[in-house]
Every structure is written in C-alpha cells, then in structure tokens.
Amino acid sequence: MGACCSKEGNFGGYGDRRIPVYENECEQENNVTSGDFGASVRLQGFSSFVSMASLQGKKGINQDSMTIWEDFIGEKDVYFCGVFDGHGPSGHKVARSVRDQLPVKLSAAQNHFKTIGLNNSKIDENDDETLNDVDDPKENSVFHTWKSSLLRAFREVDEELSLDPSIESYCSGTTAVTVIKQGDHLIIGNLGDSRAVMCSRGERDQVVPVQLTVDLKPNLPREAERVRRCNGRVFALVQEPHVLRVWLPDEDSPGLAMTRAFGDFCLKDYGLIPVPQVFFRKLTEHDEFVVLATDGIWDVLTNFEVVKIVSSARKRAVAAKFLAVHAIRAWKSRFPSSRTDDIAVVILFFKPPPPAKSMSDISHMTADSLSHLNSSISQYTHRSISSSDADDGFDFRDTLKGKAQDDSLDDWGEGESLVDTTLNFPRYSSARHRARSSSKDAE
C-alpha cells in the first residue's frame, strides 16, 4: 500500500522536527466474535465507524484492554465502547476480566430496566452521586435508564471480581472509560484517569476538542475529602510534590494515583470506590467522533493534538494506530529517559466515512500554527466549576450542550502526568489477609 504521511507536524512537542507515520505501520487484523443479544464484539481492528489500537509500552506486559460491542443490547446501531487500564501485579488480568464482564452486566441491566420500567425499580445510587435532569423528558428518561444500568453493572462487576480466586485483585485494579451511543445520545461512564474526548467542528470548520470526562484523581478536593472521611490518607511524596496519592491509614502503601477503580480492594474500605461518573451528551451535526484512550495517550498529547491527529488520518481503519504511534514517538522524543506507557485507543465515528483523502488534501502543520492553536485549547478542555455550577449543573460549552452527574469537581484534568499508578504494593501478614477474608465471609 502507499505511504500515509497524513501528518508530519510537531505533535507532542517535537519542535520543528517532522516525524512521518506510514500507513503500513498502522494496519492490523480484525477480531470479531458474538456477544449477548446478537451483538458483534470487537477486541481489535476496525469497521466503518470504529478504529481500535493497542501498543505495549516498556513497563512489562501490556495491561491495557479495550472492546467495542456493535448492535449492543440487540438494537441496530447501538454501540458500547470501553477502554481499561490495568495496574498492579495482576492489572492485566483485572482489565481483561472487566473488559469481558462489564458489557454483559450492562446489557442485562439495561434490558432489565427497559422491561420493568425505571419508576418501578430502585435506582442504584451511591450516597455521593446524584442523578441530573436533562431538559427534554424523553432524553431525561434515556439518560436515567442508562445511568442506572451503568451504576448497577459497575457495582456487580466489582463485587464479582472480589470473589474471583483466579485473579489477584487485592493489590491490582483497572480504570474504565466507556461510551454508549444510541442514536444521537451519548452516555459516558468513567472510573479513574483514562479519558474520553470528542471532536466537534467550530464556526470556521476548525476541529474543537470537547473533554467528556473528568480525570478522577486525589487532586480533586471532593475525591480527596471522601478518602480522608474513610480514614484513608492523601499526600504527595517529597520527590514528586505535584502528584497526590491514596495511602492506607497505617502503611505507606500502595500510593494509588486515582480515587476510583475496579479492584484494589486493599483501599475499598478507605475511600476508593467503583462508582462511575456518568455524563450525557446530545450529539449535533457538528460532532464527528469520540476518542477513548488510556493515560499513555494523554500524558504526552493534548486534547487538541489528539483530535487533530485523528482527523488527519487518511483512512479510519488506521486512525487509532496512527494516533498511538504518534504518542509513542512523543514519549521517545520528549521523555527519552522515561519508560513508555501502554496505550489503548478506541475511536467511534458518528457519521458515514467520507471519500478517501488524496495526498494533495493533506496539509502540513508548522510549529507556529500548532503553537497558535494550542494557545486556545484551554477554553475547550479546562473548566473550573463554581459552587453555583455545582448546584445547577453545567454545560460543557454554551453551544454544545452536555450534562454531568457530579458537578463539584474542580478540574477536568488535561495535561501531562507521567505518573506510575502505584508506587509499591502493600505487604500484608497472612493474619491480616485472613481477617479480611473472614470479614467478607461474615457479610
């Protein structure tokens, strides 16, 4: 096949250096199986509306997983997308287990609520989570049903994980960022510090990144407050004062750099929860695609760079791998002494594919133009939420409406972290572990 130098710009801080990415680097095989209610389950590859890729970093086994279910819950053109970033000694097993079980639980929960009606069922809510109304009654019903299903599915998956003796999840866990697309409704469920970012078009047809999730880390006041209320500790080490971590009450372990996750049961009594944030978005004709990715992408590329790279790919089939390759090269260029992180990327396109771009259609991006565009990125990706916003809910942007379930968080979290998820793993005596097991049996 011909070369695909769709972008050779200085994405990810390359300066004036141009690094070509070729189409033959980005090709991969499809892997499709059958799921519940006739869904098509894809673990890698692409379709007309989907592009997926995962690359192993330099930290050992690839702990990232991903999946897409097409015709989800047995309905045509309903999509479930998920990306999972494992951490800890068995993080890869936890991520794969959640990848396989969460869509099954969610599909069952959604069909349950559709059958009995949401008004006749107890909504699964955590005491620090509230359901936000959406203006349109029909959309409000869609959002509430999906949110209730997500809360139930996340809880059930975490409970079953704790009982699975084949997976060590006491000191291992995974994040999850998920998107359900049903018609022009987008429902996002997020747990941890992976991220979903949508690409829309502005008034001058420029790409506009819209961050759809919040990075759930201990630097968020409400998250830290919950941990401390449960007798967990939140502090940063002297050698990395900008990174807050979650610690056990009486041991300097495990130093988890997030406040919500599947697994990590050593911290579940101390403020770590498996309750996702759930967001709603009504799609418009300006919205083009959504990118779900683990933090191996967001550590080295801004939201704007991500949507610009994806929109510049000549073929959708290679868009996710194209983005992943740019991120890996950004790691090597900007942080040559750091080990590259694992990467998993899922891209869901909202519209039918356009005609293939010719090479003459593809423009090069200069350092000056990228610098100019990056200077305006914060107006789309950062949002400080005031107390009045927390009372009333907020819009992602004035002209692009969205609803979030938890509006008291202070920072959407865009930027570099380059943080190991856990610093070390707790060493527990056998007596302490037996005590925990006995407590669980008693419950």
Side-chain angles (χ1 to χ4, degrees), residues 10 26 61 70 73 94 100 141 179 223 227 239 248 286 309:
N10 61 334
C26 302
I61 189 171
E70 302 179 41
I73 62 171
V94 177
D100 296 337
S141 176
V179 163
E223 296 291 291
V227 172
Q239 58 267 37
L248 288 164
H286 304 291
I309 291 169

Side-chain angles (χ1 to χ4, degrees), residues 12-223:
Y14 297 118
D16 292 329
R17 178 183 172 197
R18 295 180 180 275
I19 299 182
V21 178
Y22 295 95
E23 187 171 297
N24 58 9
E25 295 182 68
C26 302
E27 294 179 348
Q28 55 187 331
E29 295 181 358
N30 275 309
N31 180 359
V32 182
T33 58
S34 297
D36 291 355
F37 304 102
S40 297
V41 181
R42 192 180 304 274
L43 301 181
Q44 66 181 42
F46 60 90
S47 69
S48 297
F49 293 89
V50 165
S51 185
M52 308 172 70
S54 183
L55 294 179
Q56 182 176 345
K58 299 296 184 181
K59 299 181 179 180
I61 189 171
N62 189 348
Q63 294 192 305
D64 289 1
S65 291
M66 58 188 178
T67 189
I68 290 183
W69 288 46
E70 302 179 41
D71 299 335
F72 189 56
I73 62 171
E75 293 187 10
K76 192 70 174 174
D77 298 327
V78 176
Y79 291 83
F80 170 87
C81 308
V83 167
F84 311 92
D85 186 354
H87 53 263
S90 299
H92 57 293
K93 294 182 179 180
V94 177
R96 292 169 189 171
S97 176
V98 173
R99 174 198 68 190
D100 296 337
Q101 294 301 316
L102 183 60
V104 175
K105 297 292 187 184
L106 179 58
S107 181
Q110 181 69 3
N111 278 284
H112 167 75
F113 285 122
K114 284 173 58 181
T115 300
I116 68 171
L118 195 61
N119 292 333
N120 297 322
S121 176
K122 183 180 182 296
I123 297 176
D124 298 305
E125 291 188 71
N126 184 275
D127 58 7
D128 74 339
E129 305 296 328
T130 58
L131 287 170
N132 286 340
D133 290 332
V134 179
D135 294 337
D136 183 88
K138 183 177 180 180
E139 293 173 0
N140 196 41
S141 176
V142 170
F143 174 50
H144 279 223
T145 303
W146 276 113
K147 179 173 180 180
S148 187
S149 298
L150 281 163
L151 293 173
R152 169 177 286 196
F154 274 63
R155 186 196 68 222
E156 290 180 349
V157 168
D158 198 59
E159 288 175 351
E160 291 194 5
L161 184 64
S162 70
L163 302 174
D164 188 345
S166 67
I167 301 177
E168 190 289 296
S169 56
Y170 194 56
C171 306
S172 302
T174 186
T175 68
V177 59
T178 64
V179 163
I180 301 126
K181 180 182 179 295
Q182 185 176 36
D184 58 359
H185 298 140
L186 211 63
I187 299 93
I188 306 100
N190 181 48
L191 195 71
D193 60 354
S194 294
R195 190 183 299 172
V197 172
M198 189 178 70
C199 177
S200 192
R201 290 282 175 177
E203 295 178 355
R204 298 184 301 277
D205 200 40
Q206 77 276 22
V207 294
V208 176
V210 183
Q211 188 167 323
L212 300 178
T213 57
V214 178
D215 297 349
L216 295 167
K217 299 180 180 182
N219 63 297
L220 300 172
R222 183 178 177 184
E223 296 291 291

Side-chain angles (χ1 to χ4, degrees), residues 329-355:
R329 293 183 176 183
W331 277 89
K332 293 178 180 178
S333 177
R334 297 172 62 187
F335 307 106
S337 62
S338 296
R339 293 177 298 168
T340 55
D341 200 358
D342 303 325
I343 287 174
V345 177
V346 165
I347 305 170
L348 177 63
F349 296 91
F350 304 143
K351 301 173 183 178

Side-chain angles (χ1 to χ4, degrees), residues 230-248:
C230 296
N231 297 320
R233 294 182 297 158
V234 175
F235 63 86
L237 298 176
V238 174
Q239 58 267 37
E240 46 173 26
H242 62 293
V243 181
L244 290 173
R245 295 179 179 274
V246 180
W247 309 85
L248 288 164

Side-chain angles (χ1 to χ4, degrees), residues 270-427:
Y270 304 108
L272 185 80
I273 60 174
V275 181
Q277 280 192 300
V278 183
F279 301 85
F280 174 85
R281 176 126 193 144
K282 176 70 177 293
L283 296 176
T284 73
E285 62 180 7
H286 304 291
D287 302 330
E288 295 195 346
F289 58 81
V290 62
V291 178
L292 286 72
T294 55
D295 60 354
I297 291 287
W298 313 111
D299 280 348
V300 291
L301 298 174
T302 66
N303 293 346
F304 174 79
E305 289 169 335
V306 166
V307 299
K308 190 68 176 178
I309 291 169
V310 172
S311 62
S312 72
R314 189 166 64 90
K315 292 166 55 178
R316 289 184 175 184
V318 302
K321 188 69 173 290
F322 188 53
L323 174 61
V325 169
H326 268 292
I328 290 293
R329 293 183 176 183
W331 277 89
K332 293 178 180 178
S333 177
R334 297 172 62 187
F335 307 106
S337 62
S338 296
R339 293 177 298 168
T340 55
D341 200 358
D342 303 325
I343 287 174
V345 177
V346 165
I347 305 170
L348 177 63
F349 296 91
F350 304 143
K351 301 173 183 178
K357 298 176 183 177
S358 67
M359 292 306 294
S360 61
D361 294 330
I362 301 168
S363 61
H364 291 292
M365 176 167 278
T366 66
D368 288 341
S369 63
L370 186 62
S371 175
H372 172 71
L373 288 167
N374 276 342
S375 68
S376 62
I377 189 173
S378 62
Q379 66 179 301
Y380 304 120
T381 55
H382 286 281
R383 175 65 195 265
S384 295
I385 303 169
S386 66
S387 58
S388 61
D389 290 330
D391 293 334
D392 302 330
F394 69 91
D395 295 332
F396 289 101
R397 292 207 308 138
D398 291 339
T399 58
L400 296 171
K401 298 293 185 179
K403 277 288 184 180
Q405 77 161 31
D406 183 352
D407 302 324
S408 64
L409 301 178
D410 293 328
D411 191 348
W412 288 92
E414 189 196 8
E416 301 165 8
S417 61
L418 298 174
V419 175
D420 288 335
T421 303
T422 51
L423 288 179
N424 54 75
F425 306 105
R427 296 182 293 276

